[in-house]
Amino acid sequence: MLPLIGLLIGIGLGLAFRVPVPAWMARYLGIALLAALDSALGGLRATLDGRFDEKVFVGGFFVNTSFAALIVYVGDNLGIELYLAAVVAFGVRVFQNLALIRRHLFGELAE
Amino acid sequence: MSPGARVWRTQFILAFALMLVGFGFVIQMRSHERLSERLESEGEADLVEIIDELNGDIEGIRGELLNERIKLMEFRDSNVDGQAMLTRTSEEIVELTKFVGETDVTGPGVTIEIVNADNLLVGLDIRQIVEELRASGAWAISINNHRLAHSAGIWRSDGKLYLDSRELDSDLRIEALGPPMLLAQAITLPRGIRDKLETLRGVEVTVREESSVRLQRVAKAGGKRLTEPVDNTIKQ
């Protein structure tokens, strides 16, 4: 319940404060958000599995988001669409995590 | 740490992470919407600006016409000899031809080089530079060696920039004649047009003051003219 409240507070803050994002940064922020979402869902899944490690989660959350943006930056400078590689990798993980969370929740409901 | 406290701590950390994700998603969505709206509204903004410029031109021409009528009346009523009036009128015509772009011109000014690596600039960005230059005293301007007439159209279509129907390269070189220091300051002012454009990815703006810039005359537009002059001989 608390994570859901956190998400709603974040959305509320985003709506309340107009934070300008320069156009050149939008691409990096987009991929960083996908990485952050992947980490957050991974954390939720680990919690449901009873093996959540806060050091691993906090480290992974910030390292993944920074590294995702860095990959896009490096790709832009090398002229390679590394952006796509990051989108596919994180996209697949997001869906895997969602599937595991869904199974876990349905399993609990069935019991 | 008790199991209950551990659960709360875990939940709090996840809530904080999701709060960051939610916040990030909203600001990203908003900035994306703003960018899309800006590109979509570009056509309409162009029309509004063109109509505004045309209205300004009409007012300017009316003013010029009134001045010329006053001069004509003064000439009729005064004893100024015809040769002096002819010389003065010829000088005014030369100045006007320079101003409207009918002749090549040279003089001090500025050169603005814009690197537009990711082709993100739109017509409005270029028009803002031109407006800043005009407001700071530029009396002749060219973009990529195309001289701007007094009412030039600059727009973007299908990812390309156009000046009066001529396609422009994505990298731009704008030259302007006028007081070099004032023109350079108009562009490089903190939080001014240069700072605004350089927030776009791949855009770099370099401004140089020049002691001498040469601009070619306005190229004649091809195709058939849609209007023809009528007999405007003054009936005595």
Side-chain angles (χ1 to χ4, degrees):
Chain A
M1 191 64 186
L2 202 56
L4 187 64
I5 293 171
L7 181 66
L8 293 175
I9 289 173
I11 291 170
L13 287 174
L15 292 171
F17 297 100
R18 289 184 172 271
V19 183
V21 181
W24 63 268
M25 201 191 269
R27 210 162 128 97
Y28 303 124
L29 183 61
I31 196 70
L33 278 170
L34 192 60
L37 182 66
D38 166 52
S39 293
L41 289 175
L44 274 175
R45 194 199 72 189
T47 309
L48 293 171
D49 289 346
R51 50 188 182 83
F52 180 84
D53 184 326
E54 62 189 51
K55 283 178 192 162
V56 172
F57 175 74
V58 174
F61 185 83
F62 290 105
V63 170
N64 276 0
T65 50
S66 312
F67 200 72
L70 184 69
I71 278 179
V72 179
Y73 176 77
V74 170
D76 282 353
N77 283 283
L78 291 176
I80 305 167
E81 290 290 339
L82 286 178
Y83 180 85
L84 293 174
V87 168
V88 171
F90 288 119
V92 168
R93 282 170 52 120
V94 163
F95 282 108
Q96 278 177 347
N97 283 329
L98 270 177
L100 289 167
I101 291 168
R102 184 171 43 86
R103 277 183 208 165
H104 199 101
L105 291 175
F106 283 153
E108 277 185 0
L109 284 174
E111 284 168 15
Chain B
M1 191 184 290
S2 67
R6 184 182 291 274
V7 169
W8 271 108
R9 194 180 161 93
T10 301
Q11 296 258 319
F12 182 78
I13 291 168
L14 281 172
F16 184 73
L18 280 167
M19 188 182 80
L20 291 179
V21 171
F23 181 72
F25 264 101
V26 173
I27 62 168
Q28 170 75 351
M29 276 172 62
R30 282 189 153 186
S31 67
H32 191 71
E33 271 172 15
R34 274 199 297 272
L35 186 66
S36 305
E37 280 169 9
R38 188 182 164 202
L39 290 173
E40 280 169 12
S41 64
E42 180 61 10
E44 198 175 329
D46 268 334
L47 283 174
V48 170
E49 194 142 331
I50 288 166
I51 289 167
D52 198 35
E53 277 180 11
L54 285 173
N55 286 337
D57 289 344
I58 290 167
E59 287 303 314
I61 290 165
R62 279 182 184 152
E64 285 290 319
L65 191 61
L66 190 63
N67 284 341
E68 294 306 320
R69 280 184 178 153
I70 290 168
K71 277 184 198 167
L72 185 65
M73 285 168 69
E74 282 173 358
F75 178 63
R76 278 180 185 161
D77 298 343
S78 70
N79 295 323
V80 179
D81 79 68
Q83 189 57 42
M85 179 58 83
L86 190 64
T87 310
R88 208 172 79 187
T89 310
S90 300
E91 284 168 0
E92 280 180 9
I93 288 170
V94 170
E95 288 305 311
L96 277 171
T97 54
K98 284 183 192 171
F99 188 72
V100 299
E102 289 288 319
T103 56
D104 292 1
V105 285
T106 185
V110 290
T111 302
I112 303 163
E113 283 175 352
I114 304 172
V115 177
N116 180 21
D118 291 315
N119 196 24
L120 289 178
L121 292 181
V122 293
L124 182 65
D125 300 322
I126 313 304
R127 288 200 301 275
Q128 280 178 345
I129 292 178
V130 171
E131 289 303 321
E132 290 288 350
L133 290 171
R134 280 183 174 158
S136 308
W139 55 274
I141 301 172
S142 81
I143 301 177
N144 289 6
N145 289 324
H146 298 302
R147 179 93 167 265
L148 263 66
H150 67 287
S151 62
I154 305 165
W155 68 92
R156 181 182 163 119
S157 176
D158 295 329
K160 291 169 187 165
L161 284 169
Y162 291 89
L163 164 63
D164 288 341
S165 305
R166 289 186 198 87
E167 189 183 325
L168 295 171
D169 292 337
S170 60
D171 289 344
L172 299 165
R173 181 184 169 87
I174 301 175
E175 293 166 297
L177 296 186
M181 198 174 74
L182 281 180
L183 297 184
Q185 281 176 353
I187 303 300
T188 58
L189 202 72
R191 297 190 182 180
I193 185 72
R194 183 178 69 173
D195 288 354
K196 186 194 145 197
L197 294 184
E198 286 189 338
T199 60
L200 297 170
R201 186 161 47 86
V203 174
E204 284 175 35
V205 181
T206 312
V207 182
R208 280 199 314 274
E209 294 178 28
E210 308 276 7
S211 58
S212 179
V213 179
R214 184 182 174 83
L215 304 186
Q216 290 180 331
R217 72 184 68 184
V218 175
K220 295 287 181 196
K224 186 175 164 59
R225 280 179 180 272
L226 296 176
T227 56
E228 294 295 336
V230 294
D231 180 17
N232 58 354
T233 312
I234 298 166
K235 303 282 187 297
Q236 295 290 337

